[in-house]
Amino acid sequence: MALECKHVWDYISEFLDDSLAPETKELVQKHLENCEICSAILDSTRNILILTADDRVFELPAGYSERLHARLAREIHGVNSRPDKPTRG
Amino acid sequence: MSLADARPVKRDEAQMIASILAGDRELYHQLIQPYELSVYRMAMSFVKNETEAEDVAQEAFLKAFRDLANFRGESKFSTWLISITLNEARRRLRRQSTVRMESLDEPAEEGAKVSPALLRDWREIPSESLERREVRALLQKAIEELSPIYREVLVLRDIEELSVEETAGALAISISSVKVRLHRARIMLQKELAPKLKLATPKKGRWLSWH
């Protein structure tokens, strides 16, 4: 049974995660070999996800780490001086 | 570096946490070090400006410190930290929702069908293109514009590289919800970004200059 393009699109995410059932994966692969549009959709989605995950997309602001640890240090040293109200979680 | 990469093999976080709770509070600086970028990045994908994201990240790390005694060790410390960060970011958004007109309760659109952008060919866009502010801004904007339910799943799964199971745990949703939302989020990103990235990264000559 051959798959139509719109059905292939439903499988793109799981195809990328390699979590499709073997027989479905095979059908998708067969379709991709013969369909330049679906191949381009798959390639572009994969490419975009790789770019999205890159550390450069959301970079730490200058001084972030120093400010964070300075604030934590104040908490670590000062926490006894005020009432401790633990929350359940 | 993603959260998944950040888990060093030799660190015994359970032991570190026990020591912190036993009085070696300074150790908390070390405990959180691998997660500084992840927590900030997650905050950034929600609150949309650097100062606020930094604020959310600081609050999350402080809250985790104050609540450390309540960390049961049933999940990983990183997963627990993620839940705290998500809650902090959501709390912040809720507080601002009247100003921003952004509703956290917007319809889940789970029934709606999403279709990708149709292309006849795709020329690989190399990671070097991220050196350009314009390209980074396109990606940031596309992530930020996803509805929260899609953004959360995408950020945890594709940016922080948690497994489907860990993502489900951190968000307290089912594995099948993670898969459905992730699929939609990915297709929405492709639909939004593929045409724009194609235009922003013209065909000839541009890549050579980076080598």
Side-chain angles (χ1 to χ4, degrees), chain B residues 53-104:
Chain B
E54 184 167 343
D55 226 34
V56 167
Q58 286 193 2
E59 288 299 328
F61 283 122
L62 280 176
K63 189 163 172 35
F65 178 71
R66 289 171 189 155
D67 283 1
L68 202 56
N70 295 317
F71 172 66
R72 301 270 177 242
E74 285 151 6
S75 60
K76 291 185 178 118
F77 176 68
S78 57
T79 311
W80 186 68
L81 194 55
I82 282 169
S83 309
I84 292 176
T85 310
L86 272 173
N87 285 337
E88 186 55 33
R90 285 170 174 159
R91 200 174 63 80
R92 191 71 58 117
L93 282 184
R94 247 188 324 264
R95 218 168 57 199
Q96 294 170 348
S97 60
T98 46
V99 182
R100 287 177 187 263
M101 302 303 287
E102 177 176 10
S103 170
L104 290 179

Side-chain angles (χ1 to χ4, degrees), chain A:
Chain A
M1 189 192 82
L3 285 174
E4 285 178 47
C5 292
K6 61 181 179 183
H7 293 130
V8 170
W9 304 342
D10 288 339
Y11 293 129
I12 282 179
S13 179
E14 289 198 83
F15 187 84
L16 288 172
D17 283 343
D18 198 18
S19 59
L20 285 173
E23 57 273 23
T24 314
K25 184 178 161 184
E26 205 185 314
L27 285 174
V28 172
Q29 249 158 354
K30 278 216 171 95
H31 180 100
L32 289 169
E33 281 165 20
N34 299 306
C35 180
E36 55 182 2
I37 292 178
C38 288
S39 297
I41 291 170
L42 181 80
D43 290 345
S44 58
T45 308
R46 184 191 284 125
N47 194 174
I48 284 165
L49 292 177
I50 289 170
L51 294 177
T52 302
D54 197 286
D55 285 354
R56 282 169 283 193
V57 177
F58 292 110
E59 282 181 314
L60 287 175
Y64 162 89
S65 199
E66 291 76 8
R67 288 189 294 274
L68 171 64
H69 285 281
R71 188 155 174 212
L72 289 175
R74 285 198 297 278
E75 177 76 16
I76 287 167
H77 296 129
V79 77
N80 287 331
S81 61
R82 55 202 195 94
D84 207 357
K85 277 192 263 169
T87 52
R88 304 224 166 262

Side-chain angles (χ1 to χ4, degrees), chain B residues 3-122:
Chain B
L3 269 181
D5 302 328
R7 284 172 210 140
V9 185
K10 286 189 177 166
R11 272 163 57 102
D12 184 347
E13 293 189 337
Q15 184 53 52
M16 289 173 93
I17 290 166
S19 301
I20 294 165
L21 291 173
D24 188 3
R25 293 161 171 254
E26 293 289 339
L27 204 54
Y28 189 67
H29 289 291
Q30 277 181 44
L31 177 68
I32 60 135
Q33 223 156 20
Y35 309 117
E36 287 179 23
L37 174 63
S38 305
V39 165
Y40 171 78
R41 198 160 46 178
M42 197 151 51
M44 190 62 195
S45 70
F46 280 84
V47 297
K48 307 176 184 183
N49 88 54
E50 290 188 0
T51 316
E52 263 187 88
E54 184 167 343
D55 226 34
V56 167
Q58 286 193 2
E59 288 299 328
F61 283 122
L62 280 176
K63 189 163 172 35
F65 178 71
R66 289 171 189 155
D67 283 1
L68 202 56
N70 295 317
F71 172 66
R72 301 270 177 242
E74 285 151 6
S75 60
K76 291 185 178 118
F77 176 68
S78 57
T79 311
W80 186 68
L81 194 55
I82 282 169
S83 309
I84 292 176
T85 310
L86 272 173
N87 285 337
E88 186 55 33
R90 285 170 174 159
R91 200 174 63 80
R92 191 71 58 117
L93 282 184
R94 247 188 324 264
R95 218 168 57 199
Q96 294 170 348
S97 60
T98 46
V99 182
R100 287 177 187 263
M101 302 303 287
E102 177 176 10
S103 170
L104 290 179
D105 307 315
E106 62 196 283
E109 304 161 38
E110 302 246 14
K113 194 107 177 142
V114 276
S115 303
L118 303 185
L119 314 151
R120 201 154 283 281
D121 63 283
W122 181 258

Side-chain angles (χ1 to χ4, degrees), chain B residues 130-183:
Chain B
L130 291 168
E131 300 297 335
R132 290 168 54 199
R133 177 185 287 271
E134 174 198 5
V135 174
R136 290 200 302 270
L138 275 176
L139 288 162
Q140 288 173 2
K141 189 159 178 287
I143 296 166
E144 287 163 6
E145 284 180 353
L146 292 172
S147 304
I149 61 162
Y150 297 121
R151 193 167 53 213
E152 289 170 353
V153 171
L154 184 98
V155 169
L156 293 182
R157 181 81 182 94
D158 285 336
I159 301 183
E160 302 306 344
E161 294 172 16
L162 298 192
S163 68
V164 169
E165 290 75 16
E166 288 167 331
T167 305
L171 295 172
I173 59 176
S174 70
I175 284 175
S176 67
S177 287
V178 171
K179 288 186 177 175
V180 170
R181 291 179 191 185
L182 183 64
H183 175 72

